[in-house]
Amino acid sequence: MANVLVVDDEPNILLSLEYLMSHAGLTVTTAPDGETALQRIADSSPDLLLLDISLPGISGFEVLEQLRRSESERHLPVIMLTAHGREVEREKGFSLGADDYVTKPFSTQQLVEKVKALLAERAP
């Protein structure tokens, strides 16, 4: 079963994404900020990361940058989540190596489909 790490500082969003991904048959780990996310990635090597951009401390963009510089985590699929739909943020996310970009509020079914599609692409 694939393991998804969900990173968001909004407890309600974290809870709903955890439920959504669990209900889709995935194992879910959560983190409320960038520092915790990096620690969870080091500890458990998730198969995919749902990463909010606006986080306390280290931003989602900074987490993504660190992952893409890491030899062991460079290929971890990352879907960026944001409440800001500005094109400049989308472009920044993709230029830093995000695999996809979802603007809140989002279709839960569409998000599950994106997650499953990315996991299927990366499956051995």
Side-chain angles (χ1 to χ4, degrees):
M1 189 180 313
N3 181 14
V4 174
L5 174 59
V6 179
V7 186
D8 201 302
D9 62 325
E10 294 280 335
N12 292 340
I13 293 174
L14 209 54
L15 203 57
S16 63
L17 286 172
E18 182 177 18
Y19 174 79
L20 180 66
M21 294 299 135
S22 296
H23 194 70
L26 303 165
T27 302
V28 183
T29 310
T30 62
D33 56 55
E35 291 89 348
T36 306
L38 290 169
Q39 189 59 54
R40 297 250 197 294
I41 292 164
D43 293 345
S44 66
S45 295
D47 299 302
L48 186 136
L49 184 60
L50 286 175
L51 180 61
D52 186 28
I53 289 174
S54 301
L55 296 170
I58 302 174
S59 76
F61 286 136
E62 291 171 283
V63 170
L64 180 59
E65 279 185 289
Q66 288 189 36
L67 293 175
R68 293 307 182 235
R69 285 195 307 257
S70 162
E71 192 61 42
S72 60
E73 303 301 340
R74 177 175 295 149
H75 301 293
L76 175 65
V78 177
I79 297 176
M80 302 297 288
L81 301 173
T82 185
H84 312 289
R86 296 193 308 252
E87 191 59 32
V88 66
E89 285 191 333
R90 282 181 66 88
E91 288 174 13
K92 182 175 181 180
F94 284 124
S95 71
L96 291 174
D99 294 277
D100 211 333
Y101 194 98
V102 176
T103 304
K104 301 173 193 172
F106 45 78
S107 154
T108 55
Q109 186 60 40
Q110 185 182 40
L111 183 60
V112 168
E113 287 169 7
K114 285 176 182 263
V115 166
K116 289 189 169 186
L118 260 177
L119 288 169
E121 278 178 28
R122 307 294 170 114

